[in-house]
Amino acid sequence: MERSIERAAKDLAGSGYAIALTGAGISTESGIRDFRGPSGVWTKDPEAERRAYLSYQRFLDDPKAWWRESVTAARILGDLDKAEPNPGHYSLAELERLAVLKCVITQNIDALHEKAGTKSLLEYHGSVSKLRCVSCGSRFSRAGFSLEKMIEEDRLPPRCPQCHGVIKSDTVFFGEAIPGDVAHRSLEEAERCDLMLICGTSAVVFPFANLPRIARQRRGVTIIEVNAEPTPLTEERVSDYLIQGKTGEILPEIVKAVKNIRG
Ligand code: NAD
């Protein structure tokens, strides 16, 4: 383990354009369950996965009813507003401050990279802290909408202040296309990087899981995984090597080693 941490630090310190990809695994140490790990939401309750697949159609069929339910329903991942970043998130923010990491592309919707201070951030599946207009794609802070009051006053669904389109949560539902701006910029990053650090993802959700495969097609790109268990990227040799363990423990060690190399 120590040797692969040193190796990752050397690779990062020597890279010209390193990016990180993250998934639910980086947030489990903040108390947010993942979906497919041993204690994951889907692993423990496969029926919840089936229900989640129906959510987008329910929204399209009746956005008002969807909003009424969603404002009052218990969230599947708990109260994400109360969650705090862990050493894994802070380590990626630190690597950005050290000018090693140029961008983080996350599948997570929990806004913890933003809270940890990462500036160059692409939220591939959106964020719980934002809402998005389905017509013009504008995003708004969720805090700016008083949704409970809108229920009371029978004003749901929320409408876009710019084009009057229906507003949904910014989080991308199963069956919904990835918003064009984020999909496009993520592809550009995958095509540009010479190092990809992949943290805490099972890498089975597409199209996100294509990003490492796109990077792999170019010569000279180093792909490192930090994950609790091997993934298809490990098995198909898309990644060069796996550092197996917890992101909240391994990433701070990598940062320390990068700083040692930099002197
Ligand atoms: P996943 O649940 O499919 O896989 C998580 C992976 O991380 C597993 O391989 C697991 O073994 C590993 N892992 C768990 N804890 C870890 C730790 N401390 N250190 C290192 N590895 C750890 O997650 P995914 O690949 O991100 O796909 C799930 C989808 O669900 C994503 O699209 C995401 O949007 C959504 N999701 C988001 C959150 C969140 O925002 N925190 C949580 C659950 C699911």
Side-chain angles (χ1 to χ4, degrees):
M1 163 93 82
E2 214 170 283
R3 243 195 264 149
S4 42
I5 286 172
E6 287 299 325
R7 181 179 176 190
K10 219 186 264 177
D11 284 340
L12 277 160
S15 68
Y17 197 92
I19 67 171
L21 264 56
T22 71
I26 198 168
S27 293
T28 55
E29 289 161 88
S30 292
I32 304 170
R33 290 167 71 192
D34 62 11
F35 278 171
R36 296 177 190 80
S39 312
V41 178
W42 296 167
T43 313
K44 297 277 181 198
D45 181 7
E47 185 59 21
E49 181 169 12
R50 199 190 62 78
R51 283 196 303 275
Y53 276 89
L54 301 176
S55 191
Y56 188 42
Q57 196 54 50
R58 280 209 337 270
F59 175 80
L60 293 176
D61 290 345
D62 190 346
K64 180 175 178 169
W66 184 90
W67 267 112
R68 213 182 308 116
E69 263 173 50
S70 111
V71 171
T72 48
R75 298 232 183 100
I76 196 167
L77 294 176
D79 190 353
L80 297 181
D81 293 342
K82 293 206 177 105
E84 291 298 332
N86 67 57
H89 300 101
Y90 287 119
S91 296
L92 295 186
E94 179 71 5
L95 285 174
E96 182 184 51
R97 272 194 297 278
L98 293 169
V100 171
L101 211 54
K102 304 300 189 290
C103 179
V104 174
I105 309 174
T106 188
Q107 292 173 93
N108 295 345
I109 56 167
D110 55 29
L112 292 185
H113 286 298
E114 193 183 352
K115 270 194 191 171
T118 290
K119 300 275 182 275
S120 177
L121 177 65
L122 294 171
E123 294 173 312
Y124 203 79
H125 292 158
S127 166
V128 284
S129 68
K130 296 181 192 128
L131 306 181
R132 174 166 41 86
C133 172
V134 295
S135 300
C136 72
S138 298
R139 291 184 181 79
F140 307 94
S141 163
R142 191 180 188 109
F145 285 77
S146 176
L147 295 163
E148 278 83 7
K149 199 161 171 221
M150 287 178 128
I151 296 186
E152 278 167 34
E153 296 172 356
D154 197 21
R155 285 194 290 119
L156 287 173
R159 293 274 173 182
C160 176
Q162 284 165 24
C163 77
H164 207 60
V166 170
I167 282 182
K168 70 179 279 294
S169 158
D170 182 40
T171 55
V172 175
F173 297 166
F174 289 104
E176 181 185 2
I178 305 299
D181 53 349
V182 175
H184 180 72
R185 287 180 55 207
S186 300
L187 187 60
E188 278 180 348
E189 294 291 339
E191 285 174 339
R192 179 176 180 187
C193 69
D194 63 359
L195 188 147
M196 191 179 261
L197 179 65
I198 305 176
C199 310
T201 174
S202 60
V204 297
V205 177
F206 287 85
F208 186 89
N210 277 329
L211 297 173
R213 294 178 166 87
I214 288 164
R216 182 72 292 157
Q217 285 166 10
R218 283 175 298 116
R219 274 170 192 265
V221 178
T222 304
I223 302 183
I224 308 165
E225 278 185 282
V226 180
N227 209 69
E229 57 192 348
T231 73
L233 301 178
T234 332
E235 279 141 22
E236 294 164 27
R237 294 177 179 262
V238 174
S239 60
D240 292 287
Y241 55 101
L242 163 72
I243 309 178
Q244 193 164 353
K246 292 184 172 177
T247 46
E249 293 170 4
I250 292 168
L251 293 176
E253 290 302 317
I254 292 178
V255 172
K256 232 189 276 172
V258 166
K259 284 180 170 168
N260 281 342
I261 293 169
R262 289 280 185 89

